[in-house]
Amino acid sequence: MIDYPSARAVALVVETGSFERAARVLSITPSAVSQRVRQLEERLGAVLIERGVPCRATEKGAWLCRHVEQVGLLEQDLLRHLPGLAEVAGQRVTLNIATNADSLGTWFLPAVAPFIAETGYLLNIGIDDQDHTADWLRSGRVLAAVTGLETPVQGCRIQRLGSLRYHATASPVFIARHFPHGVTAAAMADAPALTYDQKDRLQHRWLETQLGQGAVSPTHWMPSTQGFVDATLAGMGWALNPAALVAQSLDDGRLVELIPGAVLDVPLYWQVNRLASERLAPLTRSIVAAARRSLV
């Protein structure tokens, strides 16, 4: 039988990043939290937490945290039928989900807000490239994720959301400076792009599609969806920007497409752990509805 007070302590240390903050949530001392964690680790014969700043879950610890999360979901269901248990049910449930940064910066928050308002759940939203959020599901770090993977992760249910459309944009001044004779592979080799991080392949994919294999561009590194838009407006570089964020700037001429009509559509999917899919059905409905309104 799982020692749930100790399991809850592990989950809170991971969620808050420290034994001290977990202790404040539980209204006990940090040494008591440490004792609970240590005893559970000894009982299970596995290290559950990587001690550091912040503290992080090990692979086995992550699976325990997801189990605690699912137990919390079950408790919330029970409280709807037995509200008298609310005083002894413990803390509010935090759901761990993941999405890509561009979805978070455009359509995702309006999708989850109604679910949060209705249920009272808290969210811990992880950010990664859409080609890598599926790894968060595989490792047990999250219960659900927006991902670019079109095949179900083992143990998950999948639903297509649509495609997030991108425009390759730059300021008119940048276009005049770097592409006076049009967008060519030679011109691109001297025109700085914007790249979110080392996992971001969107600009590379667009270059390959439009100019062929081997086309390259120097880059600025900028891990911010809105920063991409601001940097292109400021003339720092060119970038693939979500259509929703640059529509007005394209209309008023502050931004220009590098090649008119040469968009890139990135398919997105919603994957949910099967064990939590029924309890997260309202969240899935809200996300699918918002995606249908916002995505291609």
Side-chain angles (χ1 to χ4, degrees):
M1 189 70 174
I2 294 177
D3 178 357
Y4 280 102
S6 296
R8 174 66 174 161
V10 170
L12 278 172
V13 171
V14 173
E15 181 181 324
T16 63
S18 77
F19 285 78
E20 291 74 16
R21 285 192 285 270
R24 286 197 291 270
V25 174
L26 292 170
S27 299
I28 59 177
T29 65
S31 62
V33 173
S34 180
Q35 184 179 19
R36 290 184 184 184
V37 173
R38 185 174 61 255
Q39 287 177 344
L40 187 57
E41 288 179 325
E42 291 174 354
R43 181 178 177 183
L44 297 178
V47 176
L48 302 173
I49 294 176
E50 294 178 2
R51 276 70 168 174
V53 182
C55 293
R56 301 182 186 276
T58 64
E59 182 179 357
K60 290 182 172 62
W63 283 108
L64 180 67
C65 290
R66 296 297 74 75
H67 175 76
V68 172
E69 188 176 357
Q70 292 186 42
V71 170
L73 289 172
L74 288 170
E75 286 185 348
Q76 292 297 309
D77 285 343
L78 183 61
L79 289 178
R80 294 189 184 98
H81 301 284
L82 298 172
L85 289 176
E87 294 182 1
V88 296
Q91 305 299 319
R92 292 170 67 181
V93 176
T94 298
L95 299 177
N96 290 270
I97 59 179
T99 186
N100 58 315
D102 289 339
S103 289
L104 185 68
T106 51
W107 65 272
F108 189 74
L109 290 180
V112 300
F115 172 77
I116 296 306
E118 178 183 348
T119 64
Y121 289 134
L122 303 175
L123 289 184
N124 180 17
I125 302 176
I127 304 298
D128 206 342
D129 186 88
Q130 64 274 355
D131 293 331
H132 296 271
T133 49
D135 295 335
W136 293 48
L137 285 163
R138 292 189 187 96
S139 66
R141 294 173 63 186
V142 297
L143 286 178
V146 174
T147 173
L149 184 65
E150 63 181 344
T151 56
V153 172
Q154 185 176 5
C156 292
R157 292 178 177 173
I158 186 171
Q159 191 155 357
R160 176 163 179 147
L161 298 175
S163 294
L164 188 56
R165 173 160 289 180
Y166 291 85
H167 293 277
T169 58
S171 70
V173 172
F174 186 92
I175 295 286
R177 181 189 308 130
H178 290 282
F179 307 116
H181 305 297
V183 177
T184 64
M188 271 295 179
D190 188 55
L194 300 171
T195 305
Y196 188 89
D197 61 17
Q198 285 75 10
K199 296 177 181 178
D200 179 11
R201 303 290 292 169
L202 288 184
Q203 282 67 223
H204 182 74
R205 286 168 58 184
W206 186 87
L207 281 171
E208 284 193 343
T209 300
Q210 302 303 324
L211 300 178
Q213 189 80 18
V216 295
S217 186
T219 191
H220 301 290
W221 301 96
M222 187 170 300
S224 167
T225 295
Q226 187 58 48
F228 264 45
V229 178
D230 294 340
T232 50
L233 285 167
M236 289 179 57
W238 69 273
L240 271 292
N241 285 310
L245 297 184
V246 295
Q248 185 60 51
S249 296
L250 288 171
D251 286 345
D252 61 27
R254 291 185 298 152
L255 288 178
V256 179
E257 287 190 274
L258 270 63
I259 300 176
V263 300
L264 179 67
D265 290 337
V266 177
L268 296 176
Y269 303 85
W270 176 243
Q271 299 214 36
V272 186
N273 185 296
R274 278 199 181 96
L275 296 176
S277 60
E278 183 177 345
R279 294 184 293 279
L280 295 183
L283 176 60
T284 295
R285 287 193 294 270
S286 184
I287 284 176
V288 169
R292 287 174 178 169
R293 291 192 298 268
S294 304
L295 302 181
V296 178

